[in-house]
Amino acid sequence: MGAAISWGLCDADPTLVELLQRLSLCESTVDRAAALVLGGMAADATTRALSELVNRSLLNGCFDHQGSVSYEVGATVRAWGRSTLATDPMRANRIRVEHTNRMVQLADAVGSEVRGRGQGQPLPPTAIQHAGDFVAVIGVLMTQGRADRALVMAADLEDVWIQLGYLSEVERILSELLVTGTEDVPNTLRRNQCELLGRWSLRTGRIQRAVELLTEAASCSRRVGDRNAELRVVLPLGEALGRSGRRGDAESLLRLAAEHAAGDPATDSEAIDIALSLLALPFPATGEDTEWEDLQRRIKQLEPGSCGLAARNALAESQLGVATVNRALRLYRDALDSPWARWHPLEAIGAVEGCAAAYLVAGDDYVRVAATVTLAARQLRDRHGVPQRDAAGQDIEWREKLGVEVLGELEQTVSKMDLPEVIDYLSAAPMPQEVADSGLGELTPRQREIAELVATGMTNRMIASHLGLSEWTIVNHLRQVMAKLDCPSRLHVALVVGRGSKTTAAAEDAVAAGSSLRTGDSMVPADR
């Protein structure tokens, strides 16, 4: 077949052959705009060359519903183009380098178009058609030692990765640089890498990873003396620290960010103020709290989009507790009811996971709903190419609660559900009955305080540091709490007390075997 293609091009102009070889380097169909960039010829010459290739049956011309044409390179022609390039390594290297540079140029144009589109507008067709090619180019740039350019391209096309399901793959490529060690990577490059991956980790709910990456980004900025870059990381790092239970550190950082924002109109001072207001809410939340209502009104005034939805999720997270489970669930549903949820799958999936946590807090009467929503969220992450949260042993946990047969039925059900169907399921799901603080009245104020901190996912050591007590003192108090509440484990304490402002240990791992609430934090301090 390759011989037939070569024979069909024997009388063709060399520029026609080279255009076909260049297009064969693409993994997807090529629209006219992309062909103009990748071909490197004048527009009229490219148009004539494309038409001739179609006439010679070497390209397939395809029209969409709007009449726009794109060109598909068949598998056989693609294999021919790449094999003929391989016969001339020097020429092949030149064409591949030019192809990479032109794909970068095309990605720049797509990135500008994506950033300029209005909220709720679909991605441009070139972004959809060439997303896979752009991912491949990022990998090529990394191997060429052009990681700085790869990071810029990855950041510019963030919405493309998220909407088309490529985020995990792009993150995997960029993360390979982390294993090379800081001594081999310039501080500025490592800072940009850690900042981008840290922000993505925060948006996808991998809080501990976000804290580590953003802390490293801030450290790299300090090492090169870039104060502005360091301050740029402060807001996401403060948010991550707050969600990890380090509220004092989070508040210090966010106040630093607020001071900087006062003299910098480019800084999002409203986002910083909302983050500080979230930390100022009663902790853990109680049924009598009203401060959250004013904050809810402020958040609804934010520009719609990922930031607005993330703020709604953060408010719902702050209200997740036994006495306030319905409030948290309504706030999560409010985020999912937003018309912007479908355009921001990361935040929508986060709200789905928040609903699952709320139903888990509500108790055994709602375990089937909690399991359904949790399993649905996991498959939504896979479907949308979103990295999974750490959930080792989750299936064993649900198997224990539901039984193998019921769990299998649920897994089969959720495997067919897309995001709108999951949202519809949650809209029809029952609201839990308000749960009383059963047994909590028997606790001393100190025991109640420690029990509430356990419910947020904090370890004994973290609680000791937070309260300024020894770890053994925390252990002794916790033993008394478990005895008074008749709780055999930390997880049962969490379910009785409530999760307060759900942190990463409580929110991400409460349903997973090996979480700190279940088995990961011994009653005896590790440094005994």
Side-chain angles (χ1 to χ4, degrees), residues 411-484:
E411 288 176 331
Q412 184 175 6
T413 298
V414 303
S415 67
K416 305 172 184 177
M417 297 171 71
D418 58 18
L419 181 57
E421 289 172 326
V422 174
I423 294 174
D424 288 343
Y425 173 86
L426 282 167
S427 297
M431 290 296 291
Q433 295 181 355
E434 297 289 357
V435 182
D437 292 339
S438 176
L440 296 178
E442 300 179 18
L443 303 182
T444 66
R446 177 64 81 185
Q447 290 168 355
R448 174 66 181 262
E449 184 176 24
I450 290 172
E452 289 171 343
L453 293 173
V454 167
T456 70
M458 295 176 70
T459 64
N460 293 340
R461 183 166 296 177
M462 293 167 64
I463 296 172
S465 175
H466 181 76
L467 299 179
L469 301 173
S470 72
E471 196 167 349
W472 272 114
T473 299
I474 302 302
V475 168
N476 289 329
H477 278 305
L478 189 51
R479 283 174 176 156
Q480 295 176 57
V481 168
M482 294 172 72
K484 289 182 178 181

Side-chain angles (χ1 to χ4, degrees), residues 5 14-15 52 102 169 204 239 242 270 289 303 329 337 347 353 395 402 407 436 452:
I5 295 173
T15 57
E52 186 171 349
R102 290 171 184 175
E169 188 173 352
T204 53
E239 292 176 354
E270 178 66 8
D289 298 339
E303 182 177 342
L329 192 54
D337 287 341
E347 287 68 32
E353 290 168 334
D395 290 340
L402 299 168
L407 179 60
E452 289 171 343

Side-chain angles (χ1 to χ4, degrees), residues 174-399:
L174 298 181
S175 295
E176 291 177 356
L177 189 62
L178 284 173
V179 302
T180 62
T182 55
E183 67 277 5
D184 300 320
V185 182
N187 278 315
T188 52
L189 176 59
R190 189 169 181 82
R191 175 199 66 200
N192 294 339
Q193 178 198 31
C194 289
E195 181 179 351
L196 179 62
L197 294 178
R199 289 178 183 274
W200 287 357
S201 296
L202 180 60
R203 288 189 66 185
T204 53
R206 295 166 295 155
I207 306 304
Q208 189 55 44
R209 174 177 167 85
V211 169
E212 293 170 357
L213 288 168
L214 294 170
T215 299
E216 176 65 12
S219 298
C220 290
S221 297
R222 283 195 295 273
R223 286 197 289 269
V224 298
D226 191 338
R227 179 66 169 170
N228 288 332
E230 182 182 356
L231 289 168
R232 188 176 63 232
V233 178
V234 165
L235 176 57
L237 179 54
E239 292 176 354
L241 287 170
R243 293 179 65 182
S244 70
R246 297 167 58 181
R247 299 171 63 85
D249 292 338
E251 184 176 359
S252 297
L253 274 180
L254 291 171
R255 292 202 178 282
L256 176 65
E259 293 175 5
H260 173 70
D264 183 2
T267 304
D268 191 349
S269 57
E270 178 66 8
I272 296 171
D273 191 53
I274 285 177
L276 281 168
S277 297
L278 283 166
L279 288 175
L281 291 174
F283 174 72
T286 67
E288 293 75 30
D289 298 339
T290 58
E291 294 91 334
W292 64 275
E293 295 175 341
D294 179 61
L295 189 53
Q296 181 188 31
R297 286 189 288 270
R298 289 175 56 195
I299 288 174
K300 287 188 174 183
Q301 298 303 313
L302 292 176
E303 182 177 342
S306 61
C307 292
L309 290 175
R312 293 187 188 198
N313 283 348
L315 178 60
E317 186 174 333
S318 74
Q319 301 302 301
L320 189 56
V322 167
T324 54
V325 62
N326 280 4
R327 181 191 303 166
L329 192 54
R330 289 190 184 96
L331 289 168
Y332 279 124
R333 286 183 174 182
D334 179 61
L336 291 172
D337 287 341
S338 166
W340 309 106
R342 60 172 296 194
W343 300 104
H344 301 282
L346 297 190
E347 287 68 32
I349 293 172
V352 169
E353 290 168 334
C355 290
Y359 279 111
L360 188 65
V361 170
D364 290 342
D365 289 344
Y366 303 93
V367 66
R368 188 182 180 105
V369 179
T372 301
V373 180
T374 300
L375 295 172
R378 291 186 67 189
Q379 71 88 16
L380 285 176
R381 281 181 177 261
D382 287 337
R383 179 176 295 186
H384 288 271
V386 180
Q388 290 286 348
R389 291 180 173 183
D390 183 14
Q394 183 172 350
D395 290 340
I396 297 175
E397 174 71 16
W398 291 124
R399 191 175 296 117

